[in-house]
């Protein structure tokens, strides 16, 4: 909507404004790892980094989330009645989020909030109360492949504001009314600054050299892909651990359990993962995804076939490359997808 | 609550063939001992899964006590001897991780040793009481995450 | 390294072309630096992909479990010890196994290397006899290999394979100078409250992906205790009690079996040092029962044994 300039020596004042009645979070370096933490000054936050090791999805979809509480007493008038947990009490700002992660939230919006019946208030509450200020990637990693899955190192999808570092200042572009309001006080951008940001975008895109192709996956039927011989090789080394799922910005499966302790009871939602045999285990003892091959196949099929089929071509992967870096047995999603596309 | 008033809860796992009988004998002999323990009968200390001990602490027990037959007296010949190795390694591990020594107890008490039973209850209860309420490993769903 | 890799490929090709085994399980070069991965070669052509480097951190013994047919496994000291474990625990049969043994040079911890270049991306690591040439965007540095060994490799006591049907290269020296007892020692000196604080600090980043369990060649239960639902020993939440229950019991289940291969720490996406628990157990088992896991076929695991005079000072 508008392009403004944020000088680096004015950052602290800008952040102070953000902190006034909101919680501000940003990627920080801690114990040699990039993770998210509350910040109040520009110096605490990272401005040059590749990306956080884990995705910031837990701001909206915590790994463990209490949904409701109840009194675990049969016969009591107040017993066994679910009480809602309080909603998020303070708006949040996520600063310096990468465009790929912001894009992921938009993909997840399509899943958590579909229609009146599928309308996850836990997700929605936190989404509505959060402002996303992105920081464009000028220096993508060798494992990044966002441009080939519909995202971009300078992508704007899902963001309120995108900051582009052009040296001693940042170009700030807003895309929503919320973003616009934040930038109101800032000076206008010059043609030269915009040109520089554009050049950086082109340079960043050029740095992404690896990628996936999905044209043949789109053309193939589900069963052709399902029965393809490649899964026998992909599954071989897989440990069936949850690393890829838990670091992934778009993986969103969960398991809801009721926990009780004496008279206390709560309903909790925990992250779950399709690589786990327990994930699909039925009470009958039957497991529809009983083998390692079934489970490994599920993850890739879900992201690159089922989601595109059901969500108008949207891919369930934003190309952040986290799973490529963290998989203990180096199952590289790019290779798997390109094999699927063969 | 002050230290003096603190009454610990102790999960006590007793072998059916010895300590459980020892407790019975202590009872019929009208021996007095603290009432802080909740006795759980197990078929043999060899049946003790370390999960049980962990589970007791998770549910808020301030102390755990496992008691079985003297070496050589096991009803199943060697259940307690296998258990002994497990207890050794598991106790060392928990205490290495920060569980206070004095929370986890083991004993060999036969069904004839009513007074040893009485003595051990007193010892175990005193030791756990001195440590105060359990702090670690407690699963508390009331806490807001 | 490359000379060894070439010999592994030759041995694998020979085995596969002669039909002695159905598959050779080894390592192949990963798509990112410092991450070789378990590779299954079924044909002599596929055997060309096998490699050997400073980053062969997965324990290949894992893949022999419940695998039908005849298989060859590339096994350095720790992997061979886990194979012996599995044979002793009746999980695999010696006659179905062909061990391509080799002396382990000690594997390099990619986190230690990465820590030298915080926030920078390493794009390539080239092996040299005693050094690694680390290249990245805008930097290049030669580092001394042995300074970056995984901590479990530093305290290794068995670099040569315990069993092998064929030895690649020469049997080499043992040890890298470290002492495993020093891993547990700092905690042993602390008072309980401090120990617990250390536990919390060590496991605070755990995301319960179970990569440590799933990478471990000891963890072959059909149903792990954390996955049991009736009763549920350990809830699925991130509550501290649940995370600790998992790690403590997992470590305990490795008692008398853990070969300190370090694959748990290498697999962990969060860099958690779970050897702080397993090394304590390793020490206890060695000191109390005089046993080192996986050193001898036919040895009985110490936790399924007893001696009449086992220590019992703590029992009233």
């Amino acid at each position: 909507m508008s392009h403004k300039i944020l000088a680096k020596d004015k950052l602290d004042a800008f952040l102070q404004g953000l902190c006034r009645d909101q919680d501000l979070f940003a990627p920080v370096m801690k114990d040699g790892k990039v993770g998210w933490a509350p910040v109040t000054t520009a110096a605490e936050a990272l401005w040059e980094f590749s990306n956080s090791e884990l995705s910031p999805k837990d701001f909206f979809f915590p790994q463990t989330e209490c949904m409701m509480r109840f009194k675990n007493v049969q016969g009591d008038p107040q017993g066994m009645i679910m009480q809602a947990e309080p909603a998020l009490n303070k708006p949040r700002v996520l600063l310096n989020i990468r465009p790929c992660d912001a894009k992921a939230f938009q993909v997840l919006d399509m899943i958590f909030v579909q229609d009146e019946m599928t309308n996850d208030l836990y997700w929605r509450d936190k989404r509505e109360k959060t402002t996303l200020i992105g920081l464009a990637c000028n220096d993508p990693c060798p494992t990044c492949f966002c441009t080939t899955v519909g995202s971009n190192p300078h992508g704007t999808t899902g963001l309120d504001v995108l900051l582009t570092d052009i040296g001693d200042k940042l170009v700030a572009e807003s895309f929503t009314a919320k973003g616009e309001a934040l930038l109101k006080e800032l000076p206008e951008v010059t043609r030269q600054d915009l040109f520089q940001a554009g050049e950086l975008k082109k340079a960043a895109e050029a740095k992404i050299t690896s990628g996936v192709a999905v044209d043949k996956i789109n053309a193939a039927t589900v069963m052709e892909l399902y029965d393809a011989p490649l899964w026998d090789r992909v599954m071989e080394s897989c440990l069936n651990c949850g690393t890829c799922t838990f670091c992934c910005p778009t993986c969103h499966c969960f398991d809801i359990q009721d926990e009780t302790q004496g008279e206390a009871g709560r309903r909790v939602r925990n992250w779950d993962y399709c690589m786990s045999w327990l994930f699909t285990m039925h009470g009958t003892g039957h497991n529809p995804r009983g083998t390692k091959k079934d489970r490994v196949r599920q993850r890739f099929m879900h992201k690159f076939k089922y989601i595109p089929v059901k969500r108008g071509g949207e891919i369930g992967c934003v190309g952040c490359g986290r799973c490529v870096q963290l998989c203990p047995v180096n199952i590289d999603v790019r290779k798997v997808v390109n094999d699927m596309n063969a | 609550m002050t230290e003096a008033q603190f009454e610990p809860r102790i999960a006590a796992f007793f072998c059916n063939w010895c300590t459980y009988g020892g407790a019975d004998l202590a009872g019929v002999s009208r021996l007095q001992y603290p009432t802080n323990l909740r006795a759980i009968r197990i078929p043999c200390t060899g049946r003790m899964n370390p999960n049980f001990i962990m589970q007791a602490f998770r549910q808020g027990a301030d102390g755990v006590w496992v008691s079985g037959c003297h070496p050589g007296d096991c009803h199943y010949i060697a259940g307690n001897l296998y258990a002994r190795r497990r207890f050794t390694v598991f106790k060392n591990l928990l205490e290495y991780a920060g569980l206070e020594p004095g929370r986890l107890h083991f004993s060999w008490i036969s069904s004839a040793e009513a007074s040893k039973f009485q003595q051990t209850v007193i010892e175990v209860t005193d030791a756990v009481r001195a440590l105060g309420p359990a702090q670690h490993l407690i699963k508390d769903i009331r806490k807001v995450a | 390294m490359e000379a060894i890799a070439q010999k592994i490929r030759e041995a694998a090709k020979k085995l596969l072309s002669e039909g002695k085994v159905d598959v050779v399980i080894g390592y192949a070069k990963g798509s990112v630096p410092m991450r070789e991965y378990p590779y299954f070669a079924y044909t002599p052509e596929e055997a060309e992909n096998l490699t050997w480097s400073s980053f062969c951190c997965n324990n290949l013994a894992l893949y022999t479990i419940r695998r039908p047919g005849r298989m060859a496994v590339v096994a350095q000291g720790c992997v061979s010890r886990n194979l012996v474990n599995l044979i002793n625990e009746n999980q695999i049969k010696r006659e179905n196994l062909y061990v391509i043994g080799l002396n382990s040079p000690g594997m390099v911890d990619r986190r230690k290397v990465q820590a030298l270049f915080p926030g920078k991306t390493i794009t390539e690591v080239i092996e040299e006899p005693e050094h690694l040439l680390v290249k990245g965007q805008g930097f290049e540095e030669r580092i001394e290999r042995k300074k970056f060994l995984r901590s479990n490799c530093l305290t290794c006591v068995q670099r040569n394979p315990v069993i092998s049907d064929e030895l690649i290269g020469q049997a080499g020296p043992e040890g890298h100078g470290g002492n495993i007892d020093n891993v547990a020692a700092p905690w042993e000196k602390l008072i309980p409250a401090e120990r617990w604080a250390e536990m919390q600090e060590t496991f605070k980043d755990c995301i319960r992906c179970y990569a440590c369990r799933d990478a471990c060649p000891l963890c072959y239960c059909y149903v792990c205790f954390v996955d049991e639902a009736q009763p549920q020993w350990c809830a699925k939440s991130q509550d501290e009690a649940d995370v600790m229950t998992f790690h403590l019991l997992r470590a305990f289940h490795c008692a008398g079996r853990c070969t300190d291969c370090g694959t748990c720490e290498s697999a962990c996406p969060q860099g958690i040092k779970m050897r702080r628990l397993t090394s304590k157990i390793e020490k206890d088992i060695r000191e109390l029962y005089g046993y080192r896991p996986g050193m001898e076929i036919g040895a009985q695991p110490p936790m399924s044994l007893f001696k009449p005079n086992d220590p019992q000072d703590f029992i009233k």
Side-chain angles (χ1 to χ4, degrees):
Chain A
M1 293 187 358
S2 66
H3 287 85
K4 295 292 182 77
I5 275 294
L6 178 52
K8 283 193 175 164
D9 54 3
K10 301 267 165 50
L11 271 175
D12 274 332
F14 181 68
L15 262 56
Q16 246 164 34
L18 295 177
C19 289
R20 201 166 297 133
D21 32 33
Q22 303 174 99
D23 288 326
L24 177 64
F25 298 88
V28 300
M29 183 68 91
K30 213 177 150 207
D31 308 329
K33 287 194 287 191
V34 181
W36 284 81
V39 297
T40 49
T41 61
E44 290 170 77
L46 286 178
W47 297 86
E48 277 174 42
F49 62 105
S50 52
N51 206 347
S52 55
E53 295 220 357
L54 299 178
S55 103
K57 68 179 170 185
D58 61 340
F59 280 107
F60 308 106
F61 174 44
Q63 183 161 7
T64 295
E65 182 172 31
C66 179
M67 309 171 83
M68 306 169 206
R69 290 181 184 276
F70 59 96
K71 194 174 175 189
N72 183 32
V73 185
Q74 303 274 359
D76 186 301
Q78 289 306 307
M80 312 316 279
I81 298 171
M82 292 287 182
Q83 305 287 339
E85 280 284 276
L88 192 64
N89 60 7
K90 209 173 172 191
R92 284 170 173 169
V93 182
L94 301 191
L95 178 71
N96 290 355
I97 188 168
R98 289 301 187 190
C100 52
D101 289 335
K103 168 89 186 328
F105 297 145
Q106 203 216 22
V107 174
L108 291 182
D109 281 340
M110 287 186 237
I111 288 154
F112 280 112
V113 185
Q114 294 177 13
D115 49 41
E116 262 175 65
M117 291 301 290
T118 310
N119 191 338
D120 191 290
L121 64 101
Y122 303 92
W123 170 269
R124 217 188 54 214
D125 175 56
K126 298 182 195 74
R127 279 288 276 156
E128 284 166 358
K129 291 174 184 163
T130 305
T131 308
L132 298 180
I133 301 180
L135 180 64
C137 272
N138 288 338
D139 216 359
C141 287
T143 47
C144 291
F145 57 103
C146 54
T147 48
T148 62
V149 285
S151 186
N152 189 287
H154 285 234
T156 60
T157 314
L159 287 171
D160 295 293
V161 173
L162 176 70
L163 304 174
T164 307
D165 188 338
I166 58 165
D168 54 346
K169 53 196 171 181
L170 301 150
V171 172
E173 189 183 355
S174 65
F175 313 99
T176 61
K178 234 186 327 191
E180 178 102 16
L182 289 179
L183 305 185
K184 208 168 53 199
E185 309 289 322
L186 297 178
E188 288 295 328
V189 72
T190 66
R191 191 181 284 266
Q192 175 60 27
D193 295 331
L194 270 185
F195 175 74
Q196 227 181 316
E199 289 299 304
L200 283 168
K201 179 174 186 223
K202 275 185 229 159
E205 286 168 357
K207 280 183 192 162
I208 294 181
T209 50
S210 68
V212 298
V214 293
D215 51 321
K216 292 184 192 125
I217 297 179
N218 291 341
T221 65
V222 166
M223 286 319 289
E224 279 165 4
L225 291 168
Y226 188 89
D227 293 326
L230 77 126
W231 304 116
D232 287 316
R233 296 308 297 264
V234 177
M235 59 75 90
E236 277 180 326
S237 62
C238 179
L239 303 173
N240 264 188
C241 74
T243 301
C244 50
T245 308
F246 288 179
C247 71
C248 177
T250 62
C251 273
H252 54 269
C253 288
F254 53 78
D255 180 35
I256 295 178
Q257 299 202 332
D258 282 358
E259 295 181 348
T260 59
Q261 225 171 17
E263 290 196 357
R266 68 170 184 178
R267 178 160 293 177
V268 241
R269 167 157 91 176
N270 296 302
W271 289 358
D272 207 340
Y273 57 110
C274 51
M275 298 290 149
S276 156
W277 66 272
L278 187 62
F279 181 63
T280 44
M281 189 69 189
H282 289 184
T284 58
H286 170 66
N287 195 340
R289 288 208 282 270
T291 66
K292 185 160 96 171
K293 179 175 153 184
D294 297 326
R295 299 193 279 273
V296 174
R297 173 170 53 199
Q298 168 63 20
R299 181 159 195 274
F300 297 104
M301 288 291 279
H302 193 185
K303 289 189 177 311
F304 292 92
K305 189 65 188 174
Y306 306 151
I307 289 182
V309 165
K310 294 192 82 173
R311 308 276 162 242
E314 196 69 50
I315 298 174
C317 170
V318 292
C320 70
R322 285 186 178 94
C323 56
V324 180
Q325 286 171 357
L326 293 179
C327 174
V329 292
N330 188 239
I331 293 177
D332 191 320
V333 61
R334 295 168 299 184
K335 184 177 182 308
V336 176
V337 174
N338 287 330
D339 285 352
M340 283 169 81
N341 201 56
Chain B
M1 205 178 349
T2 63
E3 280 292 300
Q5 287 169 313
F6 168 63
E7 288 299 338
R9 284 183 304 168
I10 299 165
F13 296 89
F14 295 151
C15 166
N16 171 52
W17 303 99
C18 50
T19 309
Y20 203 81
D24 250 359
L25 184 60
V28 295
S29 311
R30 302 289 187 268
L31 297 181
Q32 299 286 317
Y33 56 80
T35 56
N36 299 68
L37 60 91
R38 313 285 186 274
I40 299 160
R41 183 161 66 159
I42 52 174
C44 173
T45 42
R47 173 68 183 94
M48 269 308 284
N49 186 328
N51 262 345
F52 298 170
I53 296 173
M54 194 61 104
Q55 206 62 18
F57 284 122
R58 282 171 56 85
Q59 296 299 329
D62 300 305
V64 175
W65 173 26
V66 184
S67 185
C69 309
H70 287 274
D73 290 356
C74 178
H75 186 78
Y76 308 99
I77 303 179
N80 55 351
L81 297 175
Y82 289 112
R84 185 165 62 184
R85 285 200 169 189
R86 268 177 245 150
F87 296 157
T88 311
V89 176
F90 193 60
K91 181 173 190 284
N92 282 356
L93 177 67
L94 285 187
E95 291 179 359
Y96 171 74
L99 186 83
E100 304 92 327
R103 291 232 182 261
L104 184 53
H105 297 264
F106 300 92
S107 64
W108 303 140
I109 298 173
S110 81
S111 50
E113 292 177 316
S115 60
K116 181 174 180 185
F117 179 83
Q118 179 197 30
Q119 275 312 309
T120 313
V121 180
I122 294 167
E123 250 177 67
V124 168
T125 311
D126 286 351
V128 177
R129 185 182 281 120
L131 289 169
Q135 307 284 337
H136 310 318
L137 293 171
I138 306 168
K139 168 89 178 174
D140 186 358
I141 67 168
R142 278 158 295 236
K143 253 193 299 197
V144 179
Chain C
M1 288 285 184
E2 187 43 42
I4 298 278
Q6 191 51 42
K7 284 183 184 161
I8 292 174
R9 287 191 281 267
E10 277 160 23
K13 273 188 265 184
K14 188 155 176 280
L15 286 167
L16 289 165
S17 54
E18 287 172 4
K20 278 193 177 159
V21 296
D22 307 326
V23 61
V24 176
I25 308 174
Y27 300 94
K29 189 163 176 49
S31 67
V32 291
M34 304 189 282
R35 182 83 88 172
E36 309 329 3
Y37 68 94
Y39 182 77
F40 299 71
Y42 296 93
T43 63
E45 294 72 50
E46 286 174 355
E48 277 300 326
N49 293 327
L50 292 170
T51 191
W52 182 249
S53 79
S54 292
F55 302 100
C56 298
C57 295
N58 291 97
N59 192 321
L60 299 180
L62 172 77
Y63 298 99
T64 64
I65 301 162
R66 292 173 202 137
R67 190 183 181 93
R70 297 252 310 144
M71 59 203 127
V73 182
V74 175
Q76 58 274 43
C78 50
V79 174
S80 75
R81 285 176 70 185
N82 278 100
L83 291 170
V84 169
N85 255 347
L86 290 166
I87 293 165
N88 288 347
E89 294 175 2
N90 298 319
Q91 298 302 312
I92 53 174
K93 291 201 168 74
R94 180 67 180 94
E95 57 268 31
N96 291 341
L97 197 63
Y98 187 94
V99 181
I100 303 174
L102 70 177
N103 175 271
S104 171
M107 295 300 157
V108 170
D109 186 337
R110 68 179 175 285
R111 285 184 187 274
K112 286 187 188 168
V113 178
Q114 181 65 61
L116 266 192
F117 311 99
K120 291 188 188 165
T121 306
I122 296 170
T123 50
E124 197 183 359
V125 176
I126 297 167
E127 300 262 358
E128 294 173 2
E130 300 296 327
H131 292 83
L132 295 170
L133 181 60
V134 184
K135 294 182 178 179
Q137 289 162 339
F139 66 94
E140 189 175 312
E141 202 172 319
R142 184 168 276 107
I143 60 172
E144 203 181 337
R145 202 182 155 279
K146 68 176 183 213
K147 286 191 178 154
F148 294 87
L149 291 185
R150 296 189 298 170
S151 48
N152 65 296
C153 291
L154 283 171
T155 62
C156 179
V157 292
Q158 186 65 39
R159 291 167 58 185
N160 289 305
V162 180
I163 50 168
S164 66
D165 296 294
E166 174 175 355
L167 193 64
I168 300 287
Q170 306 283 315
E174 286 300 352
H176 274 116
N179 178 357
I180 189 174
D181 291 353
N182 293 341
V183 181
W187 282 20
E188 289 179 320
K189 292 193 193 103
L190 302 175
I191 61 165
E194 292 167 342
R195 291 180 185 186
W196 184 256
E198 288 286 335
M199 269 294 279
Q200 288 174 308
E201 183 60 25
T202 304
F203 292 104
K204 69 177 190 320
D205 287 341
C206 177
I207 53 171
R208 294 189 68 183
C209 65
Y210 300 143
C212 47
R213 173 195 74 180
D214 296 328
C216 178
L218 306 174
C219 285
Y220 53 72
C221 289
Y222 282 97
V223 179
C224 177
F225 76 96
V226 278
D227 289 339
E228 280 176 345
Q230 279 188 324
Q232 190 178 43
W233 298 110
C234 184
K236 289 179 149 194
S237 84
Q238 285 296 97
D239 290 354
E240 184 184 280
D242 292 328
V243 175
M244 296 298 188
T245 303
F246 165 61
H247 282 287
L248 285 167
L249 283 173
R250 188 193 83 83
F252 178 73
H253 289 172
C254 301
R257 310 166 65 221
C258 176
T259 60
D260 203 34
C261 71
T263 190
C264 47
E265 288 192 354
S266 295
C268 180
Q270 293 284 72
I272 293 169
K273 303 279 173 224
M274 49 286 259
R275 281 180 66 245
R276 288 186 181 166
L277 294 182
T278 49
S279 62
K280 162 70 179 166
I281 298 178
E282 197 278 343
K283 174 169 175 260
D284 276 0
I285 295 283
R286 182 163 29 86
E287 288 179 354
L288 292 164
Y289 309 121
Y291 184 85
R292 267 190 209 275
M295 300 300 261
E296 187 190 349
I297 288 183
Q300 270 208 293
M303 296 310 276
S304 64
L305 268 185
F306 64 84
K307 290 212 174 97
N309 58 347
D310 278 338
Q312 59 163 20
D313 303 340
F314 65 97
I315 301 179
K316 288 185 221 319

